[in-house]
Amino acid sequence: QSVLTQPPSVSGAPGQRVTISCTGSSSNIGAGYDVHWYQQLPGTAPKLLIYGNSNRPSGVPDRFSGSKSGSSASLAITGLQAEDEADYYCQSYDSSLKVFGGGTKLTVL
Amino acid sequence: QVQLQESGPGLVKPSQTLSLTCTVSGGSISSDDNYWSWIRQPPGKGLEWIGHIYYNGNTYYNPSLKSRVTISVDRSKMHFSLRLNSVTAADTAVYYCAREYLGGNWFDPWGQGTLVTVSS
């Protein structure tokens, strides 16, 4: 079991909005530690998508946004595109460890 | 910009030692605002942080692997390395190296990853 809990899968049609949740606890997200998000396209390495809860690195489209509240965080993707089909992972900090969610597979219908 | 590239054997026998190197290019391995990390991903599964090293050699390891892991750095060669001993089939994974920002603990960029299979 992962320290951070994500839904195994989500799906949406092109153009729609989807959200991916990341639920932690009082020892990680709830303790105030930041949440980061990664996109892993099939057969490739993870790529930083959101850092510090809601910041986008240069080059990441503004269709991707992140938020955090209490012990949970969310990644939202608007204007869904076929190229967004990938695995998405959240990451935070817990007891001196960097911890990841189990990953969510996004399917674009 | 900084790029990372993993290298090492793709096949290791059970009970032996897995050894990988990550070469850093396009930036300084002696930067004081980041760590250098190893992360692994078993086939079809999620990500596990293995540990990191600072440019001065200070390390921190995931307690679940601490007894078997050593991470070292060679600044003159612009690379850092991972050694994992007494491997079993459970250590079969894609191994990634990544730069970890010291202030925020996020990973960027990542190397392309290298698959290491533990099998006789």
Side-chain angles (χ1 to χ4, degrees), chain B residues 12-63:
Chain B
V12 180
K13 289 182 167 51
S15 80
Q16 294 193 342
T17 297
L18 177 160
S19 295
L20 296 173
T21 294
C22 180
T23 302
V24 179
S25 60
S28 174
I29 200 169
S30 298
S31 171
D32 62 1
D33 62 358
N34 55 252
Y35 296 110
W36 302 100
S37 276
W38 287 97
I39 298 158
R40 70 180 183 178
Q41 183 174 35
K45 297 188 178 180
L47 300 161
E48 179 182 33
W49 179 72
I50 298 170
H52 69 211
I53 191 164
Y54 197 47
Y55 77 96
N56 64 1
N58 288 347
T59 55
Y60 192 86
Y61 304 132
N62 188 324

Side-chain angles (χ1 to χ4, degrees), chain A residues 4-9 20-23 37 88-91 100-104:
Chain A
L4 306 177
T5 301
Q6 298 179 234
S9 63
I20 299 172
S21 61
C22 175
T23 303
W37 292 90
Y88 293 83
Y89 292 90
C90 61
Q91 178 238 318
F100 292 91
T104 298

Side-chain angles (χ1 to χ4, degrees), chain A residues 5-92:
Chain A
T5 301
Q6 298 179 234
S9 63
V10 298
S11 62
Q16 285 189 332
R17 178 181 187 269
V18 297
T19 61
I20 299 172
S21 61
C22 175
T23 303
S25 68
S26 58
S27 64
N28 42 68
I29 300 174
Y33 295 113
D34 286 344
V35 178
H36 320 298
W37 292 90
Y38 302 88
Q39 177 192 59
Q40 186 174 33
L41 297 169
T44 70
K47 168 194 163 188
L48 181 68
L49 200 61
I50 297 287
Y51 67 94
N53 305 317
S54 59
N55 301 292
R56 277 178 287 106
S58 172
V60 173
D62 59 7
R63 302 186 297 104
F64 295 91
S65 63
S67 63
K68 173 190 160 184
S69 177
S71 296
S72 295
S74 288
L75 173 70
I77 309 172
T78 58
L80 206 57
Q81 300 179 4
E83 68 213 46
D84 299 332
E85 189 159 289
D87 293 325
Y88 293 83
Y89 292 90
C90 61
Q91 178 238 318
S92 188

Side-chain angles (χ1 to χ4, degrees), chain A residues 40 43-46, chain B residues 6 20 38-44 46-48 50 91-97 110-117:
Chain A
Q40 186 174 33
T44 70
Chain B
E6 304 89 349
L20 296 173
W38 287 97
I39 298 158
R40 70 180 183 178
Q41 183 174 35
L47 300 161
E48 179 182 33
I50 298 170
D91 295 309
T92 294
V94 175
Y95 286 77
Y96 296 101
C97 57
W110 297 55
Q112 67 183 31
T114 186
L115 174 63
V116 179
T117 302

